[in-house]
Amino acid sequence: MQVEGRARSHVGLLDEESGGAAQLTGHARCVAADVRHRFEALPADSELRPLTKAMLRESVDRLSPSPATTIAQIQNQARLITALYRALDRLDTTQNPASAL
């Protein structure tokens, strides 16, 4: 009986957080757009092109039109945002070496 009550409370949490999940998805799309913009500015022979291209492809796959509705999906979106920010940092460092100092 106690486990059932916990499950219901988690369902309520997801209902309340669905707006937050949508914001997280929107944020991920914005960061992915920043990464894409910097990717397009990379020289054709840049070592970062293959890695960044793969990251962008992954972000398109993971940011499907269906909203994140489970805690696991929301956590995966948070991980994606972290990975996108890492890619953005690498691109910024490469394109603006003085800013790394």
Side-chain angles (χ1 to χ4, degrees), residues 5-101:
R6 287 184 192 159
R8 285 186 189 149
S9 69
H10 289 305
V11 170
L13 177 66
L14 286 175
D15 290 342
E16 292 171 13
E17 295 297 321
S18 63
Q23 287 179 343
L24 195 62
T25 300
H27 184 73
R29 288 186 176 130
C30 287
V31 179
D34 287 346
V35 171
R36 188 173 302 106
H37 177 74
R38 286 182 178 79
F39 167 76
E40 291 168 355
L42 285 173
D45 62 346
S46 172
E47 294 176 3
L48 291 176
R49 282 191 79 82
L51 178 63
T52 307
K53 186 175 182 177
M55 168 59 63
L56 288 169
R57 199 173 311 125
E58 175 86 11
S59 70
V60 167
D61 293 343
R62 290 173 62 185
L63 293 171
S64 66
S66 59
T69 56
T70 66
I71 291 174
Q73 290 172 325
I74 292 169
Q75 287 173 331
N76 283 335
Q77 285 198 345
R79 289 183 192 106
L80 174 62
I81 290 172
T82 300
L84 286 167
Y85 271 118
R86 286 185 185 137
L88 201 55
D89 286 345
R90 280 191 300 271
L91 291 167
D92 282 346
T93 301
T94 301
Q95 292 173 348
N96 303 313
S99 67
L101 300 176

